[in-house]
Amino acid sequence: MTAKFDLNDDSVVVVVGSGAGGGTLANELAQKGIKVVCLEAGKRYEIADFVNDEWESFGQLAWTDRRTTSGSWRIATDFPELPAWIVKAVGGTTTHWAGASLRFQDHEWKARTTYGDIAGAALLDWPIDAAEMAPWYAAAEFRMGTTGTNGIPRLPGNNNFKVLHAGATKIGYKEVHTGNMSINSQPRDGRGACQQIGFCFQGCKSGAKWSTLYTEIPKGEATGKLEVRAECHVLRIEHDARGRATAAIYVDADGKIQRQRARVVAIAGNSIESPRLLLNSASSLFPHGLANGAGHVGRHYMRHTTGTVWGIFDKPVHMYRGTVMAGIVRDEARHEPSRGYVGGFEMETISLGLPFLAAFMNPGAWGRDFTSALDRYDHMAGLWIVGEDMPQANNRVTLSSEVKDQHGMPVANVHYDDHANDLAMRAHAYKQGEAIYNAVGATRTIVTPPYPSTHNLGTNRMSGRPEDGVVDRWGRSHEVSNLFISDGSQFTTSAAENPTLTIVALALRQAEHLAGLMSRNEV
Amino acid sequence: MHIADRTSNFDRRTLIVGSGTAVLMASAATLFPGRVLAQSVPTGLADSNSLIRMARDLFPHDRLGDDQYQHAIATIADQLAADASKNQLLRAGAALLDDAARRKYGRPYLAIEHEQDRALVLKTIESSDFFKTLRSGLVTSLYNQQTLWSRFGYEGSSAEKGGYIRRGFDDIDWLPA
Ligand SMILES: Cc1cc2nc3c(=O)[nH]c(=O)nc-3n(C[C@H](O)[C@H](O)[C@H](O)COP(=O)(O)OP(=O)(O)OC[C@H]3O[C@@H](n4cnc5c(N)ncnc54)[C@H](O)[C@@H]3O)c2cc1C
Ligand code: SF4
C-alpha cells in the first residue's frame, strides 16, 4: 500500500522529519488524501530492534552527527558536541520520549502580556490562544491516547512515584498524580498496555507508548498517500524566481544527491536542524537564509529550565522499575512572581539506569563523594524539573564557520546563556525538590545540572507580525508562502510543560489549514 | 604483582559488553566513533597497574574487583585504537602519573599508600588531556559493564522478562502511610 512518488512529481507535500511534528503532519495530510513524501535522515528501526540498554540504544537512535556549542550553559563545558539528546531515526524523538503530555496553561500563550517586559528576554505573545487550541489539544490527546483524558485511566504509580507522592503531599502539594501520559494504561488503538518495562527512553518494547514510528506513520502509509524515505538527509530547500519553495535536495541511503520536487515544503527536523536547514538554503534571493528576511531564523532557542533532584534513602526504592515519567507535581507550574521569577515549573519522576546516572549525575565528577552516591543506586528516587525558560535573541542556532558534517554542510552551533529568571527558577525548584525527598527521610539529596537538551524549541518562532518572527499563526513562513514549519521550533515561548502534545496539536491544526489552502488553490 | 594477558585471564563474556561501548562518548569531550574489537586491543595499557589503581581512585567502589577496572581500561583502549594521538596520550599516562606523584610525594604513584593522598596527586593533573580522556572514558566504560550492574542493585534489560509489572514496580513498603 505504501505509495511511491516520482522525484519530479511537483504535486506532493514534502515533509522533512518524521518525529512528533513531521510524522503527525504527514499522516494527517495523507488521511485527507494529500500526497506526501516524508524525508527522514535516520534509519527505520522497528519495536523489535529496540534494546533495553542505555548506551547501546543511544548509539542506535540518537543524533550523533556533529554539532558545536557555545555560551555560559554548563553543557558547553561538559558535552561540547552534544547540545541536545534527540533522535535520528524514523519516528524521531518520539522513539525516546517519555510520554508526558500536558496542555499549556491558558496564560502561557500570552507570556509577554502576563509577565510584562522582562529585561534581556525577547518575550512575545503567541498569535493564538488557549480557546483556539482547546479542540486541537483534545484531538491530540485522543490521537495519542493520553491518560487522564478521554476517560483513559491514569497509569499505576511505581516506586519512584510513591516516594514523590509521599514527600510532595507531606509538604503540602495538592496536585500530585501519575500524570497525563501518552502511554496506554489499557489496550487501545491496536497497542497493548504498559508493562512497566522501565526503558521508555530507549524505545518502548511493548508499543504501549505513542510514537509516530508505529502509529501515525504506518497509518499514513496505509492510505497509499504517504511515502516515507528513510536515510534521506535533506541538505537544502530550493526555490524559484518568485521565492516559492520548489524542491528538497537530499542525500539518499546510497549517498546519491536527489531532488524531490514539491508543491509545499513542511520542515520538522527539530529545533536545531530546522533552522540549520533554512540557513543552509541561503541563495541570492535569500542571502541570510530561506525565510530569514527578519533575521529571526535560529534565534530565541529555548530548552526549558531543567534540572534533576535525587533523594537517597535508608531503604531501597528501585526507581528504575516501571514507567519513567509517570509522576508529577503541578503546584509550582503557576505564574507567581512572588517566588522571585516569572513563569513556573513542573516536577516529574525520572530514573536513569546505572550507566546514564554515572555519566549525567555530575558531569566531570570523580572520587569517593561521587561514587558513594552511586553505591546507593537502588536506594535512590529522582525527579526532573521542567520550567519555562526565557526566549533571548542571542540564544541561537547558527552555522559553524569551521565544522562541516559528513555531507559537507556546515553544522549547527548552539549558543545558550541562562537568563537570570531561569537561574532563579532553577534554584527554587532544586530547593523544593529536595524538600520533597527530605520530608520522607532522605539521607542525602543530590542536584544534577540539565542534561543535553531533550526539549528544543523556538528557533523559527511564531509571531503575529512578520518582523517579530519566522512563521505566522499557522506555522506558515511570513516570507515564503508555501513553506511551513511543523515542529517545536515554531514555539513563541516555551511554557512550563513538556512540548510534544502541543507540537502534535499544532501539526493537526496545520494539516487542516494546509489542506484548505491546497483545495482552494491558495498554495 | 603480575597481571597476565587479559585476554586469557578474562571471562570472555565481559569483553563483549554490547555495541553500546561503541558510543561511550557522551561524557567525553569528543565523540569517539569507535568500534569494539576485543581481539585487536593494543597490548599493555590495560595491564598497567598504575592505570588500574588510578581508575579505582577515580571511581572507587569497594565492591568491585580490579578486573572490572582493568576491563574498563581495555574498553577505552579499544575505543581509541584508531586515534593515534589519544592512544599515545594514554600510553604516556602512567609516566605522567608517576611524575606527578614524585612532584607531590617524592615517590611513584603506586608507592603512595592512601587513597586520599593519591587523590591529591590526581587533583594536580586534573586539567591534563590524559586525565580528562581517562576520566571521561571510564565513567562510561566502567559502568557500562553488565556484569557489575547487579552489584549496584540495577537489574538491566527487562522487556524479555515481561517488564516489572509483575516483578515489583510498586513494591515499596516503607513509606509513611
Ligand atoms: C529522553 C527524552 C524524553 C522525552 N520525554 C518527553 C516527554 O515526556 N514529553 C514531551 O512532551 N516531550 C518529551 N521529549 C521531547 C520530545 O521527544 C520532542 O519534543 C519531540 O519529539 C520533538 O518533535 P519534533 O517533531 O520537533 O522533532 P523530532 O521528534 O526530534 O523529529 C525530528 C526528525 O527530523 C529528522 N531530521 C532532522 N533534520 C533532517 C534533515 N535535514 N533531513 C531529514 N530529516 C531530518 C530527525 O532525524 C528526526 O527524526 C523527550 C525527549 C527525549 C530525548
Ligand atoms: S514502562 Fe511502559 S511505556 Fe515505558 S517502555 Fe515500558 S512498556 Fe513502554
Side-chain angles (χ1 to χ4, degrees), chain A residues 100-245:
Chain A
S101 304
L102 303 171
R103 295 185 182 199
F104 280 17
Q105 302 164 79
D106 292 1
H107 69 268
E108 288 171 327
W109 295 101
K110 302 294 167 199
R112 175 65 181 77
T113 302
T114 313
Y115 307 157
D117 186 15
I118 305 293
L123 280 172
L124 201 65
D125 287 348
W126 287 66
I128 49 182
D129 61 18
E132 181 170 356
M133 286 305 292
W136 299 107
Y137 270 140
E141 287 159 347
F142 182 78
R143 175 78 61 118
M144 300 162 86
T146 308
T147 61
T149 77
N150 293 287
I152 302 168
R154 293 192 202 275
L155 287 158
N158 68 354
N159 292 330
N160 203 21
F161 169 73
K162 289 183 168 182
V163 177
L164 179 81
H165 182 267
T169 50
K170 197 141 181 216
I171 65 168
Y173 285 133
K174 302 274 182 271
E175 208 181 330
V176 187
H177 50 69
T178 61
N180 299 101
M181 305 295 293
S182 295
I183 294 178
N184 280 350
S185 55
Q186 56 195 25
R188 186 178 184 278
D189 198 24
R191 295 177 289 116
C194 173
Q195 300 301 302
Q196 302 287 340
I197 294 170
F199 283 86
C200 312
F201 287 173
Q202 281 69 39
C204 177
K205 294 282 295 175
S206 84
K209 180 186 81 178
W210 178 87
S211 167
T212 55
L213 173 64
Y214 41 80
T215 59
E216 308 301 314
I217 290 168
K219 284 182 186 178
E221 287 172 332
T223 64
K225 296 286 180 187
L226 169 62
E227 178 185 358
V228 177
R229 293 186 201 148
E231 295 181 76
C232 289
H233 193 134
V234 181
L235 305 180
R236 56 180 192 280
I237 307 299
E238 286 189 339
H239 61 80
D240 61 16
R242 292 183 299 155
R244 291 168 44 91

Side-chain angles (χ1 to χ4, degrees), chain A residues 52 79 159 197 316 320 367 375, chain B residues 26 58 61 115 155 158-159 169 174:
Chain A
N52 277 186
F79 306 101
N159 292 330
I197 294 170
Y320 57 85
D375 277 336
Chain B
L58 283 173
H61 291 288
E115 181 185 314
E155 294 166 90
S158 91
F169 80 100
W174 53 263

Side-chain angles (χ1 to χ4, degrees), chain A residues 8-88:
Chain A
N8 286 316
D9 186 342
D10 61 3
S11 66
V12 303
V13 174
V14 166
V15 176
V16 181
S18 61
T24 304
L25 178 72
N27 175 31
E28 194 62 9
L29 291 174
Q31 298 296 335
K32 295 176 190 300
I34 294 167
K35 295 189 280 183
V36 180
V37 173
C38 179
L39 300 171
E40 167 54 58
K43 293 192 174 135
R44 189 162 184 156
Y45 297 99
E46 300 297 345
I47 289 176
D49 302 321
F50 292 154
V51 281
N52 277 186
D53 179 303
E54 292 178 310
W55 283 120
E56 189 177 348
S57 173
F58 185 89
Q60 180 183 54
L61 299 171
W63 183 286
T64 54
D65 291 11
R66 284 196 70 185
R67 284 171 177 151
T68 60
T69 49
S70 56
S72 65
W73 57 335
R74 207 176 133 175
I75 294 287
T77 312
D78 295 332
F79 306 101
E81 297 199 348
L82 196 71
W85 173 8
I86 41 186
V87 170
K88 180 181 179 180

Side-chain angles (χ1 to χ4, degrees), chain A residues 159-171 173 308-314 317 319 327 329 347-351 379-384 429-447, chain B residues 174-176:
Chain A
N159 292 330
N160 203 21
F161 169 73
K162 289 183 168 182
V163 177
L164 179 81
H165 182 267
T169 50
K170 197 141 181 216
I171 65 168
Y173 285 133
T308 307
V309 180
W310 309 101
I312 300 182
F313 297 87
D314 268 341
V317 177
M319 65 172 170
V329 179
M347 290 181 274
E348 301 169 355
T349 56
I350 193 168
S351 65
H379 288 55
M380 289 173 107
L383 67 85
W384 194 54
Y430 278 152
K431 212 171 98 252
Q432 294 313 109
E434 292 182 302
I436 287 175
Y437 290 140
N438 286 332
V440 274
T443 55
R444 182 175 173 188
T445 56
I446 294 166
V447 297
Chain B
W174 53 263
L175 285 166

Side-chain angles (χ1 to χ4, degrees), chain B:
Chain B
M1 184 175 73
H2 170 75
I3 295 177
D5 172 24
R6 65 173 198 89
T7 51
S8 57
N9 206 19
F10 269 70
D11 176 347
R12 297 297 303 183
R13 275 172 310 149
T14 65
L15 286 174
I16 292 135
V17 294
S19 61
T21 48
V23 288
L24 300 175
M25 88 292 258
S27 66
T30 49
L31 300 177
F32 306 136
R35 281 191 305 142
V36 182
L37 294 173
Q39 264 77 355
S40 65
V41 179
T43 53
L45 271 182
D47 297 339
S48 161
N49 288 338
S50 324
L51 288 191
I52 294 170
R53 186 77 251 179
M54 175 174 167
R56 183 183 281 284
D57 291 339
L58 283 173
F59 299 109
H61 291 288
D62 300 335
R63 62 186 76 179
L64 298 184
D66 273 354
D67 54 341
Q68 264 136 349
Y69 291 99
Q70 187 178 22
H71 179 240
I73 295 170
T75 305
I76 301 171
D78 280 352
Q79 297 292 315
L80 299 184
D83 183 333
S85 69
K86 288 264 182 205
N87 205 356
Q88 180 50 33
L89 207 62
L90 281 191
R91 284 172 184 284
L96 188 140
L97 192 59
D98 280 341
D99 282 350
R102 285 205 181 82
R103 270 200 306 280
K104 192 147 182 77
Y105 293 110
R107 56 205 138 110
Y109 192 73
L110 285 175
I112 301 168
E113 201 181 337
H114 297 294
E115 181 185 314
Q116 301 96 295
D117 296 333
R118 290 191 304 271
L120 291 176
V121 172
L122 293 179
K123 263 277 176 234
T124 69
I125 59 167
E126 230 180 347
S127 59
S128 69
D129 285 345
F130 160 66
F131 180 95
K132 287 192 208 155
T133 304
L134 195 66
R135 193 212 65 80
S136 60
L138 274 173
V139 80
T140 41
S141 66
L142 180 64
Y143 298 103
N144 204 33
Q145 299 175 71
Q146 288 174 18
T147 50
L148 62 72
W149 290 347
S150 62
R151 299 199 204 173
F152 291 83
Y154 178 49
E155 294 166 90
S157 181
S158 91
E160 72 284 1
K161 301 184 189 115
Y164 290 104
I165 196 160
R166 275 177 290 278
R167 295 190 310 128
F169 80 100
D170 62 350
D171 64 357
I172 197 162
D173 58 5
W174 53 263
L175 285 166

